[in-house]
Amino acid sequence: MKNKTSVLPREGEAQPSRCPDNSAFKQQRLPAWKPQLTIASVLSSFFVIGAFCLAVGVCLVLSANSVREIQIDYSDKCSDCSKLRENSSNWNKECHCSINFTIKEDILGDVFMYYGLENFYQNHRRYMMSRSNAQLLGRNVNIQRSYCAPFSTYRNGTPMAPCGAIANSMFNDTIDLFYNRNSSVIQVPLLKTGNSWWTDKNVKFRNPESYNLSSAFAGTARPPYWHKPVYQLDEEDERNNGYVNDDFIIWMRVSAFATFRNLYRRVRRVQHFTEGLPAGNYTFHISYNFPVTKFKGRKHVILSTVVWSGGSNPFLGIAYLVSGTAATLTGFVITGIHLKLRKKKTYFQKQ
């Protein structure tokens, strides 16, 4: 075996220094500030933070309680349609139901209509991944290599547009609102566009480029549970079709909880509804298409206003109240401990 060459320095040569460079950073000579935690500064911090959180929490709770909201569960009120939808062979049969309700006081301001679902889990990993973001951007992709299976292609090889379990399970009930004024029935004008996030509408979802949508989606087929193809989701507004349809975009943003609500429509403030919804008798006309009996779910329709802090959700206000109360109680506990220790110290000094 060959001898290894020695790497030791020769006699008389200076050994390289292993000390850090003589700089303020490496020698830890940078100016620093070390707070002096006195009893006054600690207690004032706890009490100031507690007072701030309590004040913000009270404002948020009062704001959330000022939201006007009407929620109607129509799962049982449309029981005939629910039984019809239990059999998947009746998918092409229409079923309608009506629900009457009364608004006792005027609902002023912007009024939003939501649909709510209970016991519908969208947070399953396979369900959340069952989509093709490249396809939703209007690109010509091979969806067989995506996570859309088994909702990617039909047996004859025709690709689904859009593919995936999320799109296939899209909420498809149609809800109309009517105002019963004296002896006349007035349909409340509802806005179906402008309800999704700007980034979703203009960045995350795009239609394939073509001179018309029907040719853009040529060679594809609708998902199995859909009643019409994606380019006919809105027959009244051509710009609200395809992957940029507001109802479709809102549904594709999955919820983290089994009980959730999605924005469905906004009341258009014209004619009798310039100030909002006047008090009186109203009727929901519902085209029942979305089955919920199999997974023991419930369906709601919600009319609600919003305030500066959002909708009717007191969670954030309660969280601030709990945090403020905890900080204030901690301050009192520290004060008690400090007074007790100071009293003992004074006693021993006198001894």
Side-chain angles (χ1 to χ4, degrees):
M1 296 177 64
K2 296 183 179 180
N3 295 330
K4 295 183 179 180
T5 305
S6 177
V7 294
L8 297 175
R10 297 180 181 179
E11 186 177 356
E13 291 184 355
Q15 296 183 1
S17 175
R18 301 179 65 182
C19 296
D21 296 336
N22 188 21
S23 62
F25 176 75
K26 292 187 176 181
Q27 295 297 333
Q28 300 183 11
R29 294 195 299 267
L30 292 174
W33 173 73
K34 183 178 180 180
Q36 299 295 328
L37 299 178
T38 62
I39 187 63
S41 62
V42 171
L43 288 179
S44 60
S45 300
F46 274 102
F47 285 121
V48 168
I49 293 174
F52 172 78
C53 290
L54 287 174
V56 174
V58 170
C59 294
L60 290 174
V61 170
L62 292 177
S63 176
N65 290 337
S66 65
V67 174
R68 295 286 307 279
E69 181 175 296
I70 298 174
Q71 180 171 318
I72 297 176
D73 187 332
Y74 66 94
S75 305
D76 297 331
K77 296 180 179 180
C78 298
S79 57
D80 294 338
C81 294
S82 178
K83 294 178 181 179
L84 180 69
R85 292 291 174 245
E86 289 181 8
N87 190 348
S88 59
S89 61
N90 298 325
W91 66 270
N92 58 345
K93 297 180 180 179
E94 295 185 358
C95 190
H96 304 272
C97 61
S98 299
I99 302 173
N100 299 319
F101 65 100
T102 302
I103 297 179
K104 297 181 180 179
E105 298 179 0
D106 295 346
I107 301 180
L108 303 178
D110 293 328
V111 182
F112 299 83
M113 181 188 293
Y114 301 84
Y115 62 85
L117 292 176
E118 288 185 12
N119 206 37
F120 189 92
Y121 290 86
Q122 290 187 309
N123 55 3
H124 193 280
R125 182 175 178 270
R126 288 191 62 187
Y127 181 88
M128 295 176 63
M129 295 180 61
S130 184
R131 59 187 293 167
S132 173
N133 292 322
Q135 183 194 47
L136 297 176
L137 284 171
R139 300 174 183 171
N140 187 12
V141 295
N142 184 6
I143 60 175
Q144 290 183 345
R145 298 181 180 179
S146 65
Y147 294 100
C148 289
F151 301 102
S152 55
T153 59
Y154 286 93
R155 294 182 179 179
N156 58 2
T158 304
M160 300 180 189
C163 70
I166 306 176
N168 184 58
S169 61
M170 177 180 169
F171 183 84
N172 57 352
D173 282 2
T174 302
I175 306 173
D176 294 316
L177 180 60
F178 292 87
Y179 174 42
N180 305 318
R181 185 172 182 267
N182 299 327
S183 59
S184 60
V185 178
I186 303 172
Q187 184 172 4
V188 180
L190 302 175
L191 296 172
K192 61 176 67 175
T193 58
N195 300 326
S196 58
W197 292 10
W198 185 91
T199 52
D200 289 346
K201 188 82 170 181
N202 297 275
V203 179
K204 295 183 180 180
F205 293 83
R206 295 180 182 177
N207 286 325
E209 295 183 358
S210 182
Y211 63 93
N212 59 37
L213 281 182
S214 59
S215 62
F217 289 97
T220 64
R222 58 175 175 80
Y225 291 171
W226 284 30
H227 295 170
K228 49 189 175 182
V230 66
Y231 53 86
Q232 292 181 353
L233 290 179
D234 190 349
E235 299 178 355
E236 299 177 358
D237 189 354
E238 182 68 23
R239 297 171 297 179
N240 192 36
N241 266 319
Y243 297 147
V244 296
N245 177 265
D246 275 47
D247 293 338
F248 173 72
I249 292 175
I250 292 173
W251 177 259
M252 293 299 291
R253 184 176 291 277
V254 297
S255 172
F257 303 99
T259 299
F260 61 93
R261 64 176 62 179
N262 285 336
L263 181 59
Y264 183 67
R265 296 289 184 265
R266 291 177 295 129
V267 174
R268 186 180 179 186
R269 299 175 63 176
V270 295
Q271 297 177 356
H272 303 284
F273 312 99
T274 53
E275 301 296 329
L277 290 179
N281 298 321
Y282 289 82
T283 303
F284 280 124
H285 286 184
I286 300 173
S287 176
Y288 198 105
N289 299 308
F290 193 85
V292 295
T293 307
K294 292 289 182 68
F295 56 89
K296 299 179 181 179
R298 310 289 298 180
K299 293 194 290 186
H300 308 270
V301 57
I302 303 108
L303 293 175
S304 176
T305 60
V306 295
V307 291
W308 62 271
S309 59
S312 178
N313 188 357
F315 173 79
L316 186 60
I318 294 175
Y320 268 100
L321 290 176
V322 172
S323 301
T325 303
T328 304
L329 291 178
T330 304
F332 281 115
V333 171
I334 295 176
T335 302
I337 295 174
H338 171 69
L339 294 177
K340 186 176 181 179
L341 293 178
R342 188 176 65 174
K343 185 177 180 180
K344 286 185 178 181
K345 183 178 180 182
T346 304
Y347 173 77
F348 285 115
Q349 287 177 351
K350 289 181 179 180
Q351 294 294 327

